[in-house]
Amino acid sequence: MILEVKNLVGGYQNKRVLHGLSFSMGDGEVVGTIGHNGAGKTTLLKSLFGLLPPWEGQILFRSHDITGRKPDSNVKEGIAYMPQGQGLFPDLTVMENLEISCFGLDRKTLKKRSQQVFELFPILEERKRQRAGTLSGGEQRMMSVGLTLMHEPTLMFLDEPSLGLAPRIVQLVMENIIEINRRFKNSILLVEQNFEQVKRVAGKIIVIKLGQIVFSGILDPALDKRELWKYF
Amino acid sequence: MDLLLQLTINGLSMGSIYLLLGISWGLIFAVTRTFHFAHGATFVVAAYSAYFFQQLGFSLILAAVGSVLAAVLFGMAVEGILYRYLRKAFASHLVVFVAAIGTLITVENLIAMGFGTDVKTLEGFPIKVIKIGKVGFNNLHVVMFATAGILFFLLMLYLHRTKTGKALRAVISNPEMAEVIGIDTRKYFLLAFALGSLLVAPAAFLVTIERGATIDLGHWAILYAFMPVIIGGIGSLPGAALAGLIIGLAESIGIWKISSQWQVGIAFVVLVAVMILKPTGLFGFRVYRGKI
Ligand SMILES: Nc1ncnc2c1ncn2[C@@H]1O[C@H](COP(=O)(O)OP(=O)(O)O)[C@@H](O)[C@H]1O
Ligand SMILES: [Mg+2]
């Protein structure tokens, strides 16, 4: 198990959002997380990654307790997070974005890791002197995904990578995610609203409703949207 | 024509001080989003510690170094003790603002108690008047302009060429994302306060040489730190620098026709005019974010 979450409770200041979530992820597994707006998906990822202190429960990464550990330690230990929305530095160039995401690593490593990102997303190499904020929506999302790869993570949390993108670009980004999983053999916890996309990418699926897991298990390819709706 | 040139020179020398006030406060605000009105307190701390060190018998240069150190320590202390605590307690912007003003007033009063309220001057700057045709200025004006120019250039070089400088720009650009990629933002907040305080100390030192220090300089300083940032566009340091010079020029050329007691008013006219024509400031692209 790369990740085990036990009875996680969390939220903001005095607002309880997560009401005791438990699940686990195996090595190299892609787990899709779906749920309505406001269900607590983003809150879950933030709590797992250490951006929000969990109130109760336990998070184990490769059997080590990382509950409440700060993002900078998590990043160094190979956990990466792509936030919902703009997960990049719009006022820095593409190259500076990559450089800064490699913070604390040496030049050689930076070069190697940027090359990996450019292999996946050749368009970024063409635009490397351009300010990231001036890239198109799809390019910006590729940049965000690229940034999470800079520390060669073994566990990635991706928050709605398809959000706000045209259908054609969504296809592309999802293929990139499949390719990343294939190439680096890392585990990915993918939050999505788009059920069709989750079905393509994820093996296992978690459905969250009002801060609770209402379904979790292997995805039946025959399972269609209507059937899944009953869990909502 | 000579008069206009003369007023331009006067304007640029005072504008250099506004430039330093603007970029120092602007840097702190851009990185931390803190309404650091206690920056005025840093200014008086710098001015009075220069005076204090000179009274102890230090040379003017050493007094300048001492004043920079005192300012940096003070600025870092305000961040490390006051603001950090308030942020942890989820204090609103208004609470932070009131605490900052309170700090400014308290520091001004403490200094008045310790040093008295008379004008304090720094000795030992060899003023030389330089005359070119009918236009006259002195070497202090040159030092002001050169100091501001060099410090601005060095700051830009630092922000664009070094690792920690780029990290600061990353925090300015997207603070949540900075945390996500593992930047310890608290350290960079402290660094921003250190740099901002370092940049304001030379302004305090030069103003004290030119006209002497009084405690109400803190209020004056925060006003002129705030205006260039709003005019230049929040988040844009080149904008704040340019706006500082523009305010200096506007005031200088303005008092050609208007009585000098309206000087601050002129700066406000520039502020209001820019806000009407371009609400995001000269270079601000969006509020809270921009080109650094
Ligand atoms: N910063 C915040 N402070 C307080 N409540 C928040 C904050 N962010 C989100 N919430 C609330 O937490 C709940 C879950 O939000 P979120 O995790 O963003 O949902 P999702 O990502 O599934 O759409 C919502 O009710 C939302 O209003
Ligand atoms: Mg969300």
Side-chain angles (χ1 to χ4, degrees):
Chain A
M1 286 295 142
I2 192 158
L3 181 73
E4 285 170 86
V5 180
K6 293 176 185 165
N7 194 31
L8 183 68
V9 176
Y12 306 87
Q13 280 159 285
N14 46 22
K15 180 170 178 170
R16 191 179 160 117
V17 175
L18 306 174
H19 306 279
L21 275 63
S22 304
F23 66 95
S24 60
M25 279 175 77
D27 269 317
E29 200 173 24
V30 180
V31 175
T33 308
I34 57 174
H36 287 301
N37 247 330
K41 305 180 297 292
T42 298
T43 309
L44 168 65
L45 293 195
K46 284 186 174 173
S47 304
L48 294 177
F49 189 65
L51 286 165
L52 275 176
W55 298 3
E56 282 170 40
Q58 214 182 16
I59 304 161
L60 301 177
F61 174 62
R62 298 188 183 292
S63 309
H64 290 290
D65 192 338
I66 59 157
T67 318
R69 191 167 75 173
K70 291 273 170 247
D72 52 333
S73 315
N74 287 333
V75 166
K76 281 188 204 115
E77 299 288 318
I79 305 177
Y81 167 60
M82 189 196 85
Q84 189 176 335
Q86 198 174 38
L88 47 73
F89 301 101
D91 306 303
L92 272 60
T93 65
V94 167
M95 203 55 219
E96 283 175 335
N97 266 273
L98 294 170
E99 222 175 291
I100 205 74
S101 302
C102 246
F103 206 68
L105 301 179
D106 59 66
R107 286 251 141 221
K108 230 176 86 192
T109 316
L110 166 68
K111 211 163 166 183
K112 202 179 104 223
R113 304 270 167 93
S114 327
Q115 215 47 53
Q116 272 176 1
V117 173
F118 291 150
E119 264 168 45
L120 272 166
F121 308 110
I123 189 76
L124 293 179
E125 182 157 29
E126 283 170 40
R127 307 231 187 285
K128 67 183 181 190
R129 310 240 164 271
Q130 201 173 317
R131 286 205 310 129
T134 63
L135 298 172
S136 74
E139 290 162 0
Q140 290 202 22
R141 195 57 47 80
M142 290 170 190
M143 172 97 259
S144 304
V145 175
L147 294 185
T148 61
L149 295 173
M150 292 307 271
H151 282 268
E152 294 194 326
T154 50
L155 175 61
M156 295 172 73
F157 302 133
L158 303 178
D159 200 346
E160 302 207 28
S162 73
L163 188 74
L165 298 181
R168 193 176 52 81
I169 312 289
V170 171
Q171 296 288 336
L172 215 65
V173 171
M174 287 302 155
E175 266 148 40
N176 290 139
I177 291 171
I178 295 170
E179 175 64 19
I180 287 167
N181 174 248
R182 199 188 58 76
R183 212 183 271 195
F184 301 106
K185 313 245 176 307
N186 50 14
S187 313
I188 301 176
L189 183 59
L190 174 71
V191 164
E192 263 303 327
Q193 299 259 19
N194 191 327
F195 177 62
E196 295 307 318
Q197 298 306 333
V198 175
K199 226 162 66 167
R200 273 183 60 206
V201 182
K204 207 172 103 180
I205 181 173
I206 292 171
V207 183
I208 297 184
K209 184 180 179 179
L210 299 173
Q212 273 171 324
I213 295 181
V214 292
F215 173 87
S216 136
I218 305 290
L219 202 58
D220 176 359
L223 192 70
D224 88 334
K225 210 172 177 170
R226 238 168 312 144
E227 266 185 80
L228 201 72
W229 270 112
K230 68 176 186 258
Y231 294 112
F232 275 61
Chain B
M1 195 54 222
D2 279 346
L3 182 60
L4 193 64
L5 196 60
Q6 179 71 61
L7 292 171
T8 303
I9 288 170
N10 296 351
L12 285 179
S13 63
M14 210 51 217
S16 304
I17 299 296
Y18 301 155
L19 181 158
L20 287 173
L21 287 167
I23 60 171
S24 61
W25 192 81
L27 176 69
I28 292 172
F29 184 75
V31 174
T32 71
R33 270 64 157 178
T34 305
F35 267 86
H36 178 42
F37 271 52
H39 201 45
T42 312
F43 188 93
V44 274
V45 164
Y48 278 79
S49 38
Y51 170 77
F52 176 72
F53 286 124
Q54 192 165 62
Q55 292 304 303
L56 286 183
F58 288 108
S59 70
L60 197 65
I61 298 283
L62 283 178
V65 173
S67 121
V68 169
L69 286 177
V72 169
L73 286 178
F74 178 80
M76 288 171 81
V78 174
E79 159 61 17
I81 298 165
L82 181 67
Y83 295 143
R84 187 173 286 185
Y85 172 81
L86 289 173
R87 250 178 251 121
K88 222 185 235 166
F90 299 106
S92 67
H93 283 301
L94 187 66
V95 171
V96 174
F97 179 73
V98 170
I101 298 248
T103 306
L104 171 60
I105 294 169
T106 308
V107 168
E108 283 182 347
N109 287 335
L110 285 175
I111 286 178
M113 279 159 66
F115 289 87
T117 50
D118 54 324
V119 181
K120 304 291 188 225
T121 52
L122 287 170
E123 310 297 331
F125 187 88
I127 293 268
K128 279 196 196 72
V129 176
I130 302 163
K131 248 189 147 46
I132 301 172
K134 279 191 186 138
V135 181
F137 54 96
N138 62 41
N139 51 352
L140 183 60
H141 292 148
V142 178
V143 170
M144 283 176 173
F145 195 67
T147 305
I150 291 168
L151 287 177
F152 175 68
F153 177 73
L154 288 178
L155 178 64
M156 285 298 130
L157 210 59
Y158 170 74
L159 288 175
H160 286 267
R161 289 277 181 273
T162 68
K163 231 170 162 174
T164 51
K166 284 177 190 175
L168 272 176
R169 283 170 55 222
V171 178
I172 294 174
S173 189
N174 190 344
E176 289 89 39
M177 188 59 195
E179 220 172 314
V180 164
I181 60 162
I183 290 179
D184 183 355
T185 46
R186 292 200 325 173
K187 274 189 209 152
Y188 286 88
F189 278 25
L190 207 56
L191 177 63
F193 273 86
L195 283 173
S197 307
L198 182 149
L199 289 168
V200 85
F205 185 76
L206 291 168
V207 167
T208 309
I209 289 178
E210 199 193 29
R211 49 169 100 158
T214 49
I215 48 146
D216 56 339
L217 268 184
H219 279 76
W220 174 86
I222 195 60
L223 200 62
Y224 281 98
F226 185 63
M227 283 194 287
V229 175
I230 302 292
I231 293 173
I234 285 169
S236 168
L237 296 179
L242 184 67
L245 294 178
I246 290 175
I247 295 173
L249 285 172
E251 283 187 348
S252 170
I253 293 169
I255 55 172
W256 179 13
K257 297 283 182 201
I258 310 166
S259 158
S260 67
Q261 75 199 69
W262 302 111
Q263 201 167 348
V264 179
I266 294 168
F268 270 108
V269 169
V270 176
L271 178 77
V272 171
V274 170
M275 285 300 98
I276 290 171
L277 296 173
K278 198 161 182 294
T280 51
L282 297 175
F283 294 96
F285 295 101
R286 280 154 290 174
V287 174
Y288 283 170
R289 177 168 288 168
K291 204 166 158 45
I292 305 120

